[in-house]
Amino acid sequence: MTDAPAQNLPPRLTGLTFHGPLSEARATRLVERVTPGTGSVLDLGCGWGELLLRVLEAAPDATGVGVDLSADDLARGRAAAKERGLAERVSFVEESATDTTRGPADLVLCLGSSHALSSAEPPGHTEAALRALRRLVTPGGRVVLGEGFWQRTPTSDELAGMWPGAHTGEHLFLGDLVDAAIAAGFRPLWVETASTEEWEEFESGYRTDVEEWLATHPGHPLAAETREKVDRQRSTWLRGYRQVLGLAYLTLMPVG
């Protein structure tokens, strides 16, 4: 018997705690580093806002706002906030972060979402995002930016294996990324990068729900389309950006 298209669809990203290559250990260190003195938190491109919620748990007097365009992710964030007794201290808002009027906040989180802050073409969007973040953080506050960078120059074959239109000028190298943060009016308090293990946990966790669903619903009308999509995603990682694209976590303090 064939499943109805609207039934038994694969769950979405339940294998992930964070929507990015971020380990429990690194998340704990980040929260410990940025929580002191935090009264307000703004999370841009928040997804379901797991790091935002952890900061609020560690700072019982703080309030937070998460901004994203994914209604499903925001609903997951609201449900988690309610379950953890944080619903009165956090709002999850469905809106664009570009030219946002929210803030300034004592702590601004932007993890893998700098593209949401600017319509500029890469890599110019990184500099534009840093300028926006400088405007959105209070004096003496902190910004945690999770931003992609090239670990080395990708080969032509690797670029061909990535997303459509991938090119070498799309990302900065790590040193240039830190320099861009300084030029935007920050001092880098902490520079760290996602490990291979964090990337592998994220990439596998990103697809595990779908893989399990495909194994148990081979006759579903959407199985072939879903299988093609997940195979393409995996190939983009394994044949394209694996150990080429890095993710930096920069803890920044505004100056001047």
Side-chain angles (χ1 to χ4, degrees):
M1 180 178 293
T2 301
D3 295 325
Q7 297 175 340
N8 299 320
L9 295 178
R12 184 174 181 273
L13 305 182
T14 64
L16 293 177
T17 301
F18 303 100
H19 201 306
L22 178 62
S23 66
E24 285 284 346
R26 192 184 306 279
T28 297
R29 293 194 299 269
L30 277 171
V31 170
E32 291 174 348
R33 190 180 306 136
V34 301
T35 295
T38 294
S40 56
V41 189
L42 177 61
D43 191 348
L44 301 166
C46 66
W48 53 83
E50 177 62 27
L51 196 65
L52 166 60
L53 296 179
R54 293 192 183 199
V55 171
L56 296 181
E57 287 174 325
D61 295 325
T63 59
V65 176
V67 175
D68 204 280
L69 290 175
S70 171
D72 289 344
D73 284 349
L74 292 168
R76 176 174 170 179
R78 293 186 193 104
K82 183 177 180 180
E83 180 180 340
R84 291 149 75 169
L86 299 170
E88 299 301 316
R89 295 200 285 131
V90 65
S91 300
F92 286 94
V93 185
E94 186 177 351
E95 64 184 30
S96 172
T98 304
D99 298 322
T100 182
T101 58
R102 296 185 180 276
D106 298 327
L107 173 62
V108 182
L109 305 174
C110 184
L111 303 181
S113 300
S114 65
H115 60 277
L117 293 175
S118 170
S119 58
E121 292 296 319
H125 74 287
T126 301
E127 288 90 343
L130 283 161
R131 291 192 295 270
L133 292 167
R134 179 63 181 81
R135 174 177 58 83
L136 293 169
V137 64
T138 59
R142 300 289 187 272
V143 168
V144 177
L145 174 66
E147 181 71 354
F149 69 95
W150 290 136
Q151 298 185 69
R152 57 174 174 77
T153 302
T155 66
S156 57
D157 286 344
E158 288 166 340
L159 287 170
M162 296 183 196
W163 48 88
H167 58 90
T168 55
E170 194 163 352
H171 294 285
L172 301 172
F173 291 103
L174 182 58
D176 297 327
L177 174 59
V178 174
D179 286 348
I182 293 171
F186 292 104
R187 294 304 301 177
L189 301 182
W190 206 273
V191 178
E192 54 192 314
T193 63
S195 67
T196 299
E197 182 179 4
E198 285 174 302
W199 271 107
E200 290 177 346
E201 288 183 358
F202 168 65
E203 292 289 346
S204 295
Y206 190 86
R207 282 172 283 275
T208 187
D209 288 330
V210 176
E211 294 290 3
E212 291 181 1
W213 180 85
L214 285 168
T216 55
H217 297 80
H220 194 283
L222 296 179
E225 175 186 341
T226 302
R227 187 177 300 108
E228 190 277 333
K229 180 179 179 180
V230 76
D231 287 347
R232 185 171 63 250
Q233 289 174 338
R234 187 189 318 101
S235 179
T236 298
W237 170 48
L238 293 176
R239 301 181 185 278
Y241 61 86
R242 184 175 185 270
Q243 296 186 330
V244 179
L245 178 65
L247 189 76
Y249 292 105
L250 306 183
T251 303
L252 306 171
M253 181 176 180
V255 294

